[in-house]
Amino acid sequence: MNDKEVIARRVARELKEGDRVNLGIGLPTLVAQYLAPALQVFFHSENGIMGMSPLPGEGFEDINLTDAGGRPVGALPGACAFDSAFSFGMIRGGHLDVTVLGGLEVDELGHLANWMVPGSMIPGMGGAMDLVTGARRVIVAMTHRSKNGSKIVPRCSLPITSVRRVDLVVTELAVIRPTENGLVLHETAPGVSVREVIEATEASLILAPGLVA
């Protein structure tokens, strides 16, 4: 199992019956593949669909039906398509239960930076600011480290997406819950020790009850 699958599977466990869930570009779109079969969740894409599902199979592609990254998806019975204005009205109006977003950095204040690297070509912020601000729960799905080091840092060095504190960070090593007191190491991934997580993390971590370094 690769790192992205580990993360997507763990995020899928956070979703509840009836949730309306936005999936961001990249790794977050994998979450739909690992949802428990009996669980009914309505996946949203900011480009205008509620009720998307993984593509049923090769040959079912429709250029008018894609996820936020432009990849073909399927649609559940009763799914609804709408324009971007309506889609962002849902986001800004607080009608999404969860958004799952990728991340470049998360800091000890729970701030997320995920929309730009200064000096790099970017098309724009997209819906990141609206989603972090408007969704009832924000889950960050990202790898624990990049080639430059830890992505969980004391303070974000990249431009933050919102001043709102995110609710959960899921990496291939750990599940971390940002709180007003700091970052709480909630659990470690199977086969990963608390010490390994601490050593891989630049930010300070508070251990949840039952975890020992």
Side-chain angles (χ1 to χ4, degrees):
M1 191 183 305
N2 63 39
D3 290 348
K4 290 184 178 181
E5 183 177 345
V6 169
I7 296 167
R9 285 181 179 276
R10 180 60 185 83
V11 172
R13 288 168 46 196
E14 291 293 314
L15 307 183
K16 306 188 300 296
E17 180 72 20
D19 274 349
R20 297 179 296 273
V21 181
N22 171 273
L23 298 178
I25 296 172
L27 195 163
T29 61
L30 301 177
V31 172
Q33 300 178 23
Y34 303 110
L35 195 68
L39 197 64
Q40 186 175 42
V41 168
F42 302 96
F43 287 112
H44 168 271
S45 177
E46 66 193 62
N47 57 357
I49 181 172
M50 178 69 79
M52 67 176 178
S53 67
L55 196 67
E58 189 175 349
F60 285 87
E61 296 86 352
D62 183 333
I63 61 171
N64 297 308
L65 196 60
T66 66
D67 63 21
R71 298 190 308 177
V73 294
L76 299 173
C80 181
F82 31 78
D83 62 20
S84 288
F86 189 90
S87 183
F88 276 84
M90 295 178 67
I91 296 169
R92 294 169 182 170
H95 303 292
L96 295 180
D97 297 298
V98 181
T99 184
V100 183
L101 298 171
L104 298 171
E105 292 178 332
V106 173
D107 68 18
E108 291 175 4
L109 297 175
H111 290 156
L112 167 67
N114 80 336
W115 72 281
M116 74 168 293
V117 175
S120 299
M121 178 71 72
I122 58 166
M125 179 173 277
M129 180 183 357
D130 301 87
L131 287 161
V132 175
T133 303
R136 296 175 185 173
R137 190 171 186 227
V138 179
I139 299 175
V140 179
M142 68 180 190
T143 55
H144 207 93
R145 297 178 64 85
S146 70
K147 62 181 180 181
N148 297 319
S150 175
K151 295 168 69 173
I152 301 173
V153 295
R155 292 293 181 272
C156 288
S157 61
L158 300 173
I160 64 171
T161 306
S162 171
V163 295
R164 174 186 172 179
R165 184 172 64 235
V166 302
D167 297 284
L168 199 69
V169 180
V170 179
T171 77
E172 77 280 13
L173 299 182
V175 176
I176 295 169
R177 196 177 304 278
T179 71
E180 61 182 11
N181 296 318
L183 301 176
V184 176
L185 177 56
H186 184 68
E187 66 183 68
T188 62
V192 177
S193 70
V194 171
R195 177 53 54 188
E196 286 175 299
V197 175
I198 292 173
E199 291 176 351
T201 307
E202 185 180 338
S204 297
L205 297 174
I206 303 165
L207 302 188
L211 292 183
V212 179

